Amino acid sequence: MSAIGTLNTAHIGINVTDLDRSLSFYGDVLGFEVIGAGDADGRRYAFLGQDGRLTLTLWQQAEGGYDAGLAGLHHLAFEAESIEKVREAETVLKERGVTFAYDGVVAHGEGAASGGIFFHDPDGTRLEISVPKGAEEAPAPVAAAPTCGFF
């Protein structure tokens, strides 16, 4: 343990190019609720969560889409209740025309019980919905390394 104690993730802030488009995606598609919003010097923002708990802050201050070649966020992973919920999310996302990194549920690694779906938000930010077990039969698209590291 560090000198400052144990740290837990409080929320994640994401820069977006179009707040309304991102609110539709994170709200209508992923089920997050707007628990606060505002405008700071022309930069709109929204606090998103579930059951009143803050999870994400979206900031409309990006000039361009996500760039995996720059330092910063690699991907954002959400944990679902079950593999069935992951598959339900996949269906909803496909109906919305979301871009996926892999076809269907994939394992986190060869022989792993954990796995999920890997896709992109409207600005190209890489997202994952996974479970710690239930993906035992799913393929691993990258045999020698974690699947989530290579999308």
Side-chain angles (χ1 to χ4, degrees), residues 14-19 21-22 59-68 70 121-126:
I14 300 176
N15 284 336
V16 300
T17 58
D18 182 331
L19 184 61
R21 180 181 68 173
S22 292
W59 296 92
Q60 183 175 298
Q61 58 187 15
E63 295 292 323
Y66 178 81
D67 186 341
L70 297 177
D121 82 353
D123 285 308
T125 301
R126 299 182 294 192

Side-chain angles (χ1 to χ4, degrees), residues 25-137:
F25 177 80
Y26 284 96
D28 298 343
V29 178
L30 295 184
F32 288 99
E33 304 161 353
V34 176
I35 57 176
D39 188 316
D41 299 323
R43 293 181 302 173
R44 295 175 55 219
Y45 61 91
F47 300 122
L48 305 179
Q50 293 176 327
D51 301 321
R53 181 168 182 222
L54 178 62
T55 305
L56 296 171
T57 303
L58 302 178
W59 296 92
Q60 183 175 298
Q61 58 187 15
E63 295 292 323
Y66 178 81
D67 186 341
L70 297 177
L73 179 72
H74 181 274
H75 74 284
L76 177 57
F78 300 104
E79 186 174 305
E81 298 171 10
S82 66
I83 195 69
E84 292 77 23
K85 292 291 184 188
V86 172
R87 288 194 173 97
E88 288 175 22
E90 177 187 17
T91 299
V92 170
L93 292 165
K94 282 185 175 180
E95 288 170 356
R96 297 288 185 122
V98 170
T99 303
F100 283 78
Y102 308 112
D103 187 32
V105 172
V106 294
H108 279 139
E110 194 70 39
S114 63
I117 56 176
F118 299 84
F119 55 100
H120 302 89
D121 82 353
D123 285 308
T125 301
R126 299 182 294 192
L127 303 172
E128 167 187 355
I129 299 176
S130 62
V131 289
K133 61 182 180 175
E136 291 87 349
E137 304 300 318

